[in-house]
Amino acid sequence: MKRSGITTKVSQTRPSFGAAVIRTTCRGCGGANVATVFADLGIQPPANSYLRSAEASQDERAYPLRALVCADCFLVQVDTDVPREELFYDYAYFSSFSESWQKHAEAYAAMAIARFGLDRASFVVEVASNDGYLLKNFVAASIPCLGIEPSDTVAAAASRIGVPTQVSYLDREVAEAVVARQCKADLVVANNVWAHVPDLDSFTAGLAVLLKPEGILTIEVQHLLPLMEHVEFDTIYHEHYTYFSLLAAERLLARHGLKVFDVEQISTHGGSLRYYIVDANRKDVAEGNGLLKVRADEAAAGLDILETYSKFAAQIPVCRDALRAFLTDARSAGKTVGAYGAAAKGNTLLNYCGIGTEDIALVADRNPHKQGQLLPGSHIPIVAPEVLMDARPDFILILPWNLRLEIMSQLAGIREWGGKFVTPVPTVQIWA
């Protein structure tokens, strides 16, 4: 299998964003003991840097994709800072294109309104609010809210549906400006963004500034423990700077005067945690059973032992070899393989495994903003789902495997010609 060519040449057709930086200190605690390799996935382009044409691939930029662990606070983190302006340039991820994610957001809003007694006198702030997928539920309930979203592309979509949105990255200064202009928040929401910020210190300080003394902060973030248990290495990419255990999260929050009082395990992104967080000085909240359970689970798994992390790296090539073998066998048998879901995790997988158009001819995605472009690195063309179905592949490789059931339902028609679904992580599985 041949990997499509990748260069580090600076593009003449895209803005210049500056150079990547190799970090030598921990993003969480600032310590210098960050050396143990957790995953080394080679040189890869940013996972969301889709290409508009084959000509654009001549200027494609790529960077080391390597995750290390801090021996002091056990925070897993990539060691290369790709300029965030490059990562979010022409950003094409719209949360509302996932039906399951919309349902998740609706359920969260209903829970939060009831559990925290939110009403028209309350104020809700969501950080990394994307296209308004979550806050629109608070707007519908007449609860004042504000989204803070760095991508003007998706922020514009949120504004069009009536979700007030400020285009900026969150840091302490931005948070102080929001509070001065409006007020502190009864509820601050940070879903799947904590891992996306290179400067954790300033970002987490911003969360603390936004929160009322009696307010609630909830953070949803992928949980490191199931990532390790299920070898979900494809969820590592440049845009995800950090990979949180509860152990590392509590240590970071404590440095900003915050504490976790409960934890909920949720299924999103292959296994995530929802942290319920308050001011560290509050005495009116007790530690919940969910928090105690996850602490115990992590201790049992040895997440406070450095050797545990170094063992993970050895499992990754096994997954790669299984997928390569499947594709080789399919080609030898004269079978065709298409893919579904132009997701970041899929790009990490394909590029680490050295998979290109000779293995998979096309990938389908419902997002029209991605259709007509090429996947970064592998250069596989992105098409509408109807095009994939018209091609009648023998197998459809589901790249966003965490949405397997949703995708299998949407593409159930492949069974008409005997087609089957395939998921690649933690190893290849074929689904009829």
Side-chain angles (χ1 to χ4, degrees), residues 143-427:
I143 296 172
C145 61
L146 174 70
I148 300 175
E149 166 56 47
S151 170
D152 55 2
T153 309
V154 291
S159 296
R160 284 194 294 270
I161 62 172
V163 175
T165 305
Q166 172 177 321
V167 180
S168 62
Y169 293 94
L170 178 70
D171 55 23
R172 181 188 291 273
E173 183 178 342
V174 168
E176 289 173 345
V178 169
V179 171
R181 186 177 66 248
Q182 296 182 257
C183 63
K184 285 182 175 284
D186 299 273
L187 174 65
V188 178
V189 185
N191 286 347
N192 300 296
V193 60
W194 218 13
H196 289 253
V197 288
D199 188 349
L200 271 179
D201 185 69
S202 183
F203 180 86
T204 308
L207 294 176
V209 168
L210 288 171
L211 191 64
K212 284 183 178 179
E214 67 278 15
I216 300 288
L217 163 65
T218 68
I219 294 177
E220 290 184 18
V221 67
Q222 183 184 20
H223 188 199
L224 181 66
L225 183 56
L227 183 157
M228 296 174 70
E229 290 175 337
H230 305 300
V231 201
E232 296 168 359
F233 72 92
D234 57 336
T235 60
I236 297 172
Y237 45 101
H238 298 102
E239 191 180 306
H240 274 183
Y241 295 97
T242 46
Y243 303 84
F244 282 95
S245 61
L246 172 61
L247 174 65
E250 289 198 281
R251 293 184 178 187
L252 173 60
L253 291 165
R255 286 190 287 273
H256 292 277
L258 300 169
K259 66 179 179 181
V260 181
F261 73 91
D262 206 359
V263 169
E264 183 179 350
Q265 294 177 282
I266 53 181
S267 62
T268 56
H269 302 290
S272 298
L273 295 181
R274 177 184 292 156
Y275 299 101
Y276 292 87
I277 301 159
V278 293
D279 187 290
N281 294 316
R282 286 185 59 175
K283 308 297 184 184
D284 60 326
V285 290
E287 292 188 340
N289 291 332
L291 173 62
L292 300 177
K293 180 182 185 305
V294 175
R295 276 187 190 152
D297 289 345
E298 290 192 355
L303 294 195
D304 57 348
I305 302 170
L306 200 58
E307 184 182 5
T308 303
Y309 299 86
S310 59
K311 291 179 179 178
F312 178 77
Q315 302 178 67
I316 299 174
V318 177
C319 181
R320 175 197 61 199
D321 295 346
L323 181 57
R324 283 177 167 175
F326 164 75
L327 291 170
T328 297
D329 291 346
R331 188 167 59 249
S332 298
K335 303 292 185 180
T336 56
V337 181
Y340 187 92
K345 60 168 57 72
N347 293 326
T348 291
L349 176 81
L350 296 173
N351 288 317
Y352 171 68
C353 295
I355 294 168
T357 53
E358 67 276 23
D359 305 298
I360 297 175
L362 47 81
V363 57
D365 199 281
R366 293 178 65 195
N367 186 344
H369 297 274
K370 294 182 180 180
Q371 293 167 11
Q373 300 193 70
L374 306 177
L375 294 183
S378 67
H379 305 159
I380 298 171
I382 306 169
V383 300
E386 296 77 19
V387 176
L388 176 65
M389 296 298 281
D390 288 343
R392 298 170 69 92
D394 297 295
F395 298 100
I396 293 180
L397 177 66
I398 300 176
L399 296 174
W401 42 260
N402 53 305
L403 301 177
R404 175 180 65 84
L405 295 178
E406 176 183 335
I407 293 168
M408 288 177 64
S409 175
Q410 292 172 356
L411 304 182
I414 74 165
R415 297 185 179 93
E416 294 177 5
W417 61 82
K420 296 179 180 180
F421 297 98
V422 181
T423 51
V425 173
T427 190

